[in-house]
Amino acid sequence: MTTATAQEVTYLEAISQALDEEMARDERVFLLGEDIGPYGGAFRITEGFQKKYGEWRVLDTPLSESGFVGAAIGAAMMGMRPVVEMQFADFISCAFDQITEVAAKNHYRWGAAVPMVIRAPFGGGVHGGPFHSECPEAWFFHSPGLKIVAPSTPYDAKGLLKAAIRDPNPVIYFEHKFLYRRIKAVLPREDFIVPIGKAEVKRAGQDITVVTYGATVHLALEAAEMLTKEGIELEIVDLRTLIPLDKETIFASVRKTSKAIMLHEDNKTGGIGAEIAALLAEECFDCLDGPILRIAAPDTPVPFSAPLEEYFLPKVGDIVAAARKLAAY
Protein backbone atom coordinates (compact mmCIF):
# COMPACT_ATOMS: atom_id res chain seq x y z
CA MET A 1 0.00 0.00 0.00
CA THR A 2 1.54 3.30 -1.08
CA THR A 3 1.08 6.80 0.29
CA ALA A 4 -0.66 7.71 -2.95
CA THR A 5 -3.53 5.36 -2.17
CA ALA A 6 -3.55 5.33 1.63
CA GLN A 7 -3.34 7.55 4.69
CA GLU A 8 -2.59 7.18 8.39
CA VAL A 9 -5.39 8.13 10.77
CA THR A 10 -6.22 7.73 14.44
CA TYR A 11 -9.07 5.58 15.75
CA LEU A 12 -11.04 8.80 16.35
CA GLU A 13 -10.38 10.10 12.84
CA ALA A 14 -11.45 6.76 11.37
CA ILE A 15 -14.84 7.13 13.06
CA SER A 16 -15.20 10.70 11.82
CA GLN A 17 -14.27 9.65 8.29
CA ALA A 18 -16.86 6.87 8.30
CA LEU A 19 -19.60 9.28 9.34
CA ASP A 20 -18.56 11.89 6.78
CA GLU A 21 -18.35 9.39 3.92
CA GLU A 22 -21.69 7.77 4.73
CA MET A 23 -23.43 11.15 4.99
CA ALA A 24 -22.01 12.12 1.61
CA ARG A 25 -22.97 8.76 0.10
CA ASP A 26 -26.54 8.56 1.41
CA GLU A 27 -28.72 11.60 2.11
CA ARG A 28 -30.88 9.51 4.44
CA VAL A 29 -28.02 9.39 6.97
CA PHE A 30 -28.26 12.05 9.65
CA LEU A 31 -26.76 12.56 13.12
CA LEU A 32 -28.33 13.49 16.40
CA GLY A 33 -27.03 13.88 19.92
CA GLU A 34 -25.93 16.32 22.57
CA ASP A 35 -23.50 19.08 21.51
CA ILE A 36 -22.67 17.43 18.18
CA GLY A 37 -23.41 20.58 16.12
CA PRO A 38 -21.24 23.72 16.36
CA TYR A 39 -19.32 22.23 19.31
CA GLY A 40 -18.46 19.09 17.34
CA GLY A 41 -19.29 16.58 20.06
CA ALA A 42 -17.62 15.85 23.37
CA PHE A 43 -14.64 14.31 21.54
CA ARG A 44 -14.80 16.54 18.41
CA ILE A 45 -15.71 13.65 16.14
CA THR A 46 -18.39 15.67 14.34
CA GLU A 47 -16.45 18.94 14.24
CA GLY A 48 -17.44 20.92 11.14
CA PHE A 49 -20.23 18.51 10.20
CA GLN A 50 -23.12 20.89 10.84
CA LYS A 51 -21.54 23.59 8.71
CA LYS A 52 -21.01 21.05 5.91
CA TYR A 53 -24.34 19.24 6.04
CA GLY A 54 -26.71 21.70 7.72
CA GLU A 55 -28.75 21.77 10.91
CA TRP A 56 -31.31 19.21 9.69
CA ARG A 57 -28.70 16.51 9.21
CA VAL A 58 -26.61 17.27 12.31
CA LEU A 59 -29.15 17.80 15.07
CA ASP A 60 -28.25 19.10 18.52
CA THR A 61 -30.66 17.53 20.99
CA PRO A 62 -31.81 18.26 24.53
CA LEU A 63 -30.29 16.25 27.39
CA SER A 64 -32.83 13.45 26.95
CA GLU A 65 -31.40 10.16 25.76
CA SER A 66 -34.78 8.47 25.85
CA GLY A 67 -36.26 11.29 23.79
CA PHE A 68 -33.70 11.45 21.01
CA VAL A 69 -33.30 7.67 20.76
CA GLY A 70 -37.07 7.44 20.43
CA ALA A 71 -36.97 10.09 17.69
CA ALA A 72 -34.24 8.14 15.90
CA ILE A 73 -36.30 4.93 16.05
CA GLY A 74 -39.24 6.72 14.46
CA ALA A 75 -37.04 8.23 11.76
CA ALA A 76 -35.47 4.83 11.03
CA MET A 77 -38.88 3.23 10.65
CA MET A 78 -39.80 5.97 8.15
CA GLY A 79 -36.79 5.08 5.99
CA MET A 80 -34.08 7.37 7.37
CA ARG A 81 -30.66 6.21 8.63
CA PRO A 82 -30.09 7.97 11.97
CA VAL A 83 -26.80 7.78 13.86
CA VAL A 84 -27.22 8.64 17.54
CA GLU A 85 -24.28 9.77 19.66
CA MET A 86 -24.23 9.06 23.37
CA GLN A 87 -21.74 11.50 24.89
CA PHE A 88 -20.64 8.63 27.11
CA ALA A 89 -21.85 5.03 26.97
CA ASP A 90 -22.86 5.26 30.63
CA PHE A 91 -25.79 7.50 29.68
CA ILE A 92 -27.26 4.82 27.42
CA SER A 93 -29.12 3.47 30.43
CA CYS A 94 -31.44 6.49 30.19
CA ALA A 95 -32.63 5.12 26.83
CA PHE A 96 -32.72 1.46 27.87
CA ASP A 97 -36.48 1.08 27.38
CA GLN A 98 -36.42 2.62 23.90
CA ILE A 99 -33.51 0.42 22.82
CA THR A 100 -34.56 -2.93 24.28
CA GLU A 101 -38.36 -2.66 24.14
CA VAL A 102 -38.85 -0.71 20.92
CA ALA A 103 -35.80 -0.76 18.61
CA ALA A 104 -34.86 -4.37 19.38
CA LYS A 105 -38.39 -5.78 19.14
CA ASN A 106 -40.03 -3.99 16.22
CA HIS A 107 -38.82 -6.55 13.69
CA TYR A 108 -40.21 -9.36 15.85
CA ARG A 109 -43.51 -7.52 16.31
CA TRP A 110 -44.37 -6.87 12.67
CA GLY A 111 -41.27 -7.22 10.52
CA ALA A 112 -40.35 -3.54 10.64
CA ALA A 113 -36.77 -2.61 9.82
CA VAL A 114 -35.07 -0.21 12.26
CA PRO A 115 -31.85 0.88 10.47
CA MET A 116 -30.18 2.99 13.12
CA VAL A 117 -26.83 3.17 14.90
CA ILE A 118 -26.11 4.20 18.47
CA ARG A 119 -22.51 5.29 19.01
CA ALA A 120 -21.44 4.67 22.58
CA PRO A 121 -17.99 5.87 23.76
CA PHE A 122 -17.14 3.35 26.50
CA GLY A 123 -14.36 2.16 28.74
CA GLY A 124 -11.88 3.38 31.32
CA GLY A 125 -8.26 4.38 31.43
CA VAL A 126 -9.11 8.07 31.08
CA HIS A 127 -9.86 8.83 34.78
CA GLY A 128 -13.50 9.57 34.04
CA GLY A 129 -14.86 8.01 37.22
CA PRO A 130 -17.86 5.71 37.69
CA PHE A 131 -20.29 7.68 35.47
CA HIS A 132 -18.04 8.23 32.45
CA SER A 133 -16.03 4.99 32.19
CA GLU A 134 -18.52 2.15 32.12
CA CYS A 135 -18.58 -0.86 29.82
CA PRO A 136 -22.32 -1.56 29.47
CA GLU A 137 -22.21 -3.93 26.49
CA ALA A 138 -23.40 -6.96 28.47
CA TRP A 139 -26.72 -5.21 29.22
CA PHE A 140 -27.59 -5.39 25.52
CA PHE A 141 -25.92 -8.73 24.80
CA HIS A 142 -29.03 -10.31 26.35
CA SER A 143 -31.49 -8.39 24.15
CA PRO A 144 -32.52 -10.21 20.94
CA GLY A 145 -32.95 -7.91 17.96
CA LEU A 146 -29.85 -5.80 18.50
CA LYS A 147 -26.46 -6.05 16.85
CA ILE A 148 -23.40 -5.02 18.87
CA VAL A 149 -19.94 -4.16 17.57
CA ALA A 150 -16.76 -3.10 19.38
CA PRO A 151 -13.79 -2.31 17.12
CA SER A 152 -10.19 -2.36 18.36
CA THR A 153 -8.35 -0.73 15.43
CA PRO A 154 -8.85 2.27 13.14
CA TYR A 155 -9.51 -0.06 10.19
CA ASP A 156 -12.20 -1.95 12.07
CA ALA A 157 -13.59 1.28 13.56
CA LYS A 158 -14.19 2.74 10.11
CA GLY A 159 -15.29 -0.45 8.41
CA LEU A 160 -17.68 -1.56 11.14
CA LEU A 161 -19.30 1.87 11.44
CA LYS A 162 -19.93 2.02 7.70
CA ALA A 163 -21.36 -1.51 7.80
CA ALA A 164 -23.54 -0.60 10.81
CA ILE A 165 -25.00 2.47 9.06
CA ARG A 166 -25.88 0.35 6.02
CA ASP A 167 -27.40 -2.46 8.10
CA PRO A 168 -31.22 -2.71 8.30
CA ASN A 169 -31.09 -3.53 12.02
CA PRO A 170 -30.39 -1.43 15.13
CA VAL A 171 -26.66 -1.56 15.88
CA ILE A 172 -24.95 -0.40 19.07
CA TYR A 173 -21.43 0.70 18.19
CA PHE A 174 -19.11 0.66 21.20
CA GLU A 175 -16.03 2.81 20.59
CA HIS A 176 -13.32 2.78 23.23
CA LYS A 177 -12.32 6.24 24.45
CA PHE A 178 -8.83 5.13 25.47
CA LEU A 179 -8.06 4.26 21.85
CA TYR A 180 -9.25 7.53 20.30
CA ARG A 181 -5.88 9.24 19.89
CA ARG A 182 -3.52 6.48 21.00
CA ILE A 183 -3.48 4.19 17.99
CA LYS A 184 -3.05 4.93 14.30
CA ALA A 185 -3.22 2.91 11.13
CA VAL A 186 -2.88 3.34 7.40
CA LEU A 187 -6.29 3.02 5.79
CA PRO A 188 -7.25 2.53 2.16
CA ARG A 189 -8.69 5.57 0.41
CA GLU A 190 -11.25 3.48 -1.43
CA ASP A 191 -14.58 2.57 0.17
CA PHE A 192 -14.57 -0.53 2.37
CA ILE A 193 -16.60 -2.16 5.13
CA VAL A 194 -15.82 -4.73 7.82
CA PRO A 195 -18.61 -7.34 7.81
CA ILE A 196 -20.72 -7.46 10.96
CA GLY A 197 -20.64 -10.88 12.59
CA LYS A 198 -17.08 -11.84 11.67
CA ALA A 199 -14.27 -12.09 14.22
CA GLU A 200 -10.61 -11.84 13.25
CA VAL A 201 -7.55 -13.70 14.47
CA LYS A 202 -5.29 -10.73 15.21
CA ARG A 203 -2.35 -12.99 16.08
CA ALA A 204 -1.88 -16.68 15.32
CA GLY A 205 -0.56 -19.04 17.99
CA GLN A 206 -0.80 -22.68 18.95
CA ASP A 207 -0.77 -22.78 22.76
CA ILE A 208 -3.59 -20.66 24.22
CA THR A 209 -6.55 -18.78 22.70
CA VAL A 210 -7.37 -15.35 24.10
CA VAL A 211 -10.87 -14.20 23.16
CA THR A 212 -11.24 -10.44 23.54
CA TYR A 213 -12.47 -7.17 22.00
CA GLY A 214 -11.99 -3.41 22.22
CA ALA A 215 -9.00 -1.93 24.03
CA THR A 216 -8.03 -5.22 25.69
CA VAL A 217 -7.03 -6.59 22.28
CA HIS A 218 -3.93 -4.43 22.54
CA LEU A 219 -3.16 -5.70 26.04
CA ALA A 220 -3.38 -9.25 24.74
CA LEU A 221 -1.05 -8.50 21.84
CA GLU A 222 1.49 -6.95 24.22
CA ALA A 223 1.28 -9.93 26.55
CA ALA A 224 1.72 -12.30 23.60
CA GLU A 225 4.99 -10.63 22.63
CA MET A 226 6.29 -11.06 26.18
CA LEU A 227 5.20 -14.69 26.43
CA THR A 228 6.73 -15.75 23.13
CA LYS A 229 10.13 -15.33 24.80
CA GLU A 230 9.04 -18.07 27.22
CA GLY A 231 7.89 -20.38 24.45
CA ILE A 232 4.19 -19.68 25.00
CA GLU A 233 2.34 -18.65 21.84
CA LEU A 234 -1.01 -16.91 22.30
CA GLU A 235 -3.63 -16.80 19.58
CA ILE A 236 -5.61 -13.57 19.83
CA VAL A 237 -9.21 -13.69 18.60
CA ASP A 238 -10.69 -10.20 18.28
CA LEU A 239 -14.47 -10.62 18.32
CA ARG A 240 -15.12 -7.24 16.63
CA THR A 241 -18.83 -8.12 16.65
CA LEU A 242 -20.35 -9.19 19.96
CA ILE A 243 -23.80 -9.97 18.50
CA PRO A 244 -24.09 -11.92 16.26
CA LEU A 245 -21.19 -13.84 17.79
CA ASP A 246 -18.77 -15.55 15.42
CA LYS A 247 -18.82 -18.93 17.14
CA GLU A 248 -17.13 -20.66 14.23
CA THR A 249 -13.92 -18.63 14.56
CA ILE A 250 -13.87 -18.96 18.36
CA PHE A 251 -14.44 -22.72 18.31
CA ALA A 252 -11.87 -23.29 15.56
CA SER A 253 -9.21 -21.45 17.54
CA VAL A 254 -9.92 -23.25 20.82
CA ARG A 255 -10.00 -26.63 19.10
CA LYS A 256 -6.53 -25.81 17.80
CA THR A 257 -4.99 -24.60 21.07
CA SER A 258 -7.08 -26.62 23.58
CA LYS A 259 -6.86 -23.76 26.12
CA ALA A 260 -8.79 -20.52 26.42
CA ILE A 261 -8.74 -17.20 28.25
CA MET A 262 -11.67 -14.77 28.14
CA LEU A 263 -10.49 -11.17 28.40
CA HIS A 264 -12.62 -8.02 28.67
CA GLU A 265 -12.70 -4.73 30.54
CA ASP A 266 -16.31 -5.10 31.67
CA ASN A 267 -17.12 -6.44 35.14
CA LYS A 268 -16.47 -10.15 35.47
CA THR A 269 -19.84 -11.43 36.69
CA GLY A 270 -22.34 -11.86 33.89
CA GLY A 271 -19.93 -10.53 31.27
CA ILE A 272 -19.66 -11.63 27.66
CA GLY A 273 -16.67 -13.78 28.60
CA ALA A 274 -18.92 -15.89 30.82
CA GLU A 275 -21.28 -16.64 27.93
CA ILE A 276 -18.42 -17.61 25.63
CA ALA A 277 -16.95 -19.81 28.37
CA ALA A 278 -20.32 -21.57 28.64
CA LEU A 279 -20.42 -22.08 24.88
CA LEU A 280 -16.93 -23.57 24.95
CA ALA A 281 -17.94 -25.91 27.77
CA GLU A 282 -20.90 -27.06 25.68
CA GLU A 283 -19.27 -27.30 22.27
CA CYS A 284 -15.53 -27.80 22.83
CA PHE A 285 -15.32 -29.70 26.11
CA ASP A 286 -13.53 -32.70 24.59
CA CYS A 287 -10.83 -30.40 23.20
CA LEU A 288 -10.00 -28.58 26.41
CA ASP A 289 -6.76 -29.36 28.25
CA GLY A 290 -7.28 -26.89 31.09
CA PRO A 291 -9.87 -24.67 32.77
CA ILE A 292 -11.39 -21.76 30.89
CA LEU A 293 -10.03 -18.64 32.58
CA ARG A 294 -11.60 -15.18 32.75
CA ILE A 295 -9.74 -11.89 33.10
CA ALA A 296 -12.02 -8.93 33.70
CA ALA A 297 -12.66 -5.99 35.99
CA PRO A 298 -13.88 -6.63 39.54
CA ASP A 299 -17.57 -6.26 40.33
CA THR A 300 -17.48 -2.62 41.39
CA PRO A 301 -18.03 0.71 39.62
CA VAL A 302 -14.98 2.19 37.90
CA PRO A 303 -12.97 4.17 40.48
CA PHE A 304 -12.19 7.85 39.87
CA SER A 305 -8.84 7.70 41.68
CA ALA A 306 -6.03 7.08 39.17
CA PRO A 307 -4.23 4.43 41.30
CA LEU A 308 -7.53 2.65 42.02
CA GLU A 309 -8.54 2.72 38.37
CA GLU A 310 -5.16 1.25 37.44
CA TYR A 311 -5.78 -1.56 39.93
CA PHE A 312 -9.35 -2.04 38.66
CA LEU A 313 -8.59 -2.42 34.95
CA PRO A 314 -7.19 -5.63 33.43
CA LYS A 315 -3.45 -5.39 32.80
CA VAL A 316 -0.81 -7.08 30.68
CA GLY A 317 0.57 -8.71 33.83
CA ASP A 318 -2.80 -10.35 34.50
CA ILE A 319 -2.77 -11.95 31.06
CA VAL A 320 0.82 -13.12 31.41
CA ALA A 321 0.09 -14.70 34.81
CA ALA A 322 -3.06 -16.44 33.56
CA ALA A 323 -1.27 -17.76 30.47
CA ARG A 324 1.59 -19.14 32.53
CA LYS A 325 -0.88 -20.89 34.82
CA LEU A 326 -2.76 -22.36 31.89
CA ALA A 327 0.37 -23.38 30.03
CA ALA A 328 1.42 -25.44 33.05
CA TYR A 329 -1.59 -27.78 32.70
Side-chain angles (χ1 to χ4, degrees):
M1 191 176 293
T2 65
T3 55
T5 59
Q7 56 183 321
E8 186 178 64
V9 299
T10 64
Y11 184 95
L12 182 149
E13 290 167 339
I15 295 169
S16 183
Q17 279 187 7
L19 292 172
D20 191 10
E21 291 175 15
E22 290 303 297
M23 291 185 76
R25 186 188 66 86
D26 187 345
E27 64 181 11
R28 297 173 301 169
V29 179
F30 73 100
L31 315 181
L32 64 167
E34 298 157 354
D35 298 325
I36 68 168
Y39 189 69
F43 300 100
R44 300 297 195 272
I45 286 176
T46 57
E47 190 168 15
F49 276 45
Q50 192 176 79
K51 184 176 181 180
K52 182 175 182 179
Y53 293 106
E55 293 182 357
W56 288 106
R57 293 190 68 194
V58 184
L59 299 172
D60 269 331
T61 67
L63 302 179
S64 176
E65 284 78 12
S66 181
F68 61 71
V69 169
I73 293 169
M77 294 180 67
M78 294 302 293
M80 301 296 284
R81 297 268 170 168
V83 180
V84 172
E85 178 182 305
M86 296 286 163
Q87 273 196 349
F88 292 86
D90 314 55
F91 307 154
I92 203 169
S93 57
C94 297
F96 193 81
D97 178 69
Q98 292 283 8
I99 296 168
T100 61
E101 297 301 307
V102 185
K105 292 181 178 175
N106 274 353
H107 177 73
Y108 290 99
R109 280 171 170 157
W110 67 84
V114 187
M116 62 179 291
V117 178
I118 300 174
R119 289 182 41 236
F122 79 135
V126 294
H127 313 313
F131 303 108
H132 297 79
S133 307
E134 203 162 15
C135 291
E137 60 270 21
W139 298 349
F140 303 100
F141 190 71
H142 189 66
S143 186
L146 300 175
K147 293 185 177 182
I148 306 173
V149 298
S152 66
T153 67
Y155 183 90
D156 291 343
K158 184 173 183 177
L160 280 172
L161 183 51
K162 291 169 78 73
I165 292 170
R166 300 177 192 185
D167 198 281
N169 301 280
V171 181
I172 304 180
Y173 177 93
F174 284 102
E175 53 195 63
H176 205 292
K177 302 188 298 293
F178 186 79
L179 300 179
Y180 274 156
R181 295 176 176 86
R182 287 179 169 86
I183 58 171
K184 295 182 179 182
V186 175
L187 302 185
R189 291 192 183 276
E190 63 270 14
D191 183 47
F192 70 93
I193 66 165
V194 172
I196 292 175
K198 184 61 181 173
E200 182 182 36
V201 177
K202 285 288 197 285
R203 183 186 192 276
Q206 70 272 5
D207 295 321
I208 300 169
T209 296
V210 179
V211 181
T212 185
Y213 57 90
T216 48
V217 170
H218 300 278
L219 299 182
L221 291 169
E222 187 176 341
E225 290 305 307
M226 295 175 62
L227 287 162
T228 194
K229 299 171 184 176
E230 303 176 21
I232 302 171
E233 294 293 340
L234 300 187
E235 178 149 299
I236 313 300
V237 176
D238 181 358
L239 294 176
R240 302 198 295 190
T241 298
L242 308 183
I243 291 291
L245 196 63
D246 185 358
K247 299 175 186 177
E248 182 179 345
T249 297
I250 299 168
F251 294 166
S253 178
V254 173
R255 285 172 180 142
K256 180 175 77 170
T257 66
S258 299
K259 295 176 180 179
I261 294 172
M262 307 297 110
L263 170 65
H264 57 65
E265 189 179 313
D266 190 14
N267 303 114
K268 186 174 186 178
T269 300
I272 290 169
E275 173 63 22
I276 298 173
L279 287 169
L280 291 175
E282 290 174 349
E283 302 293 336
C284 301
F285 182 79
D286 290 344
C287 301
L288 293 172
D289 288 338
I292 303 168
L293 301 183
R294 288 181 291 162
I295 301 171
D299 296 327
T300 71
V302 185
F304 177 74
S305 159
L308 288 178
E309 185 186 39
E310 173 67 19
Y311 175 82
F312 172 89
L313 295 171
K315 291 170 283 297
V316 171
D318 300 331
I319 305 165
V320 170
R324 287 170 177 162
K325 176 182 176 180
L326 204 50
Y329 270 82

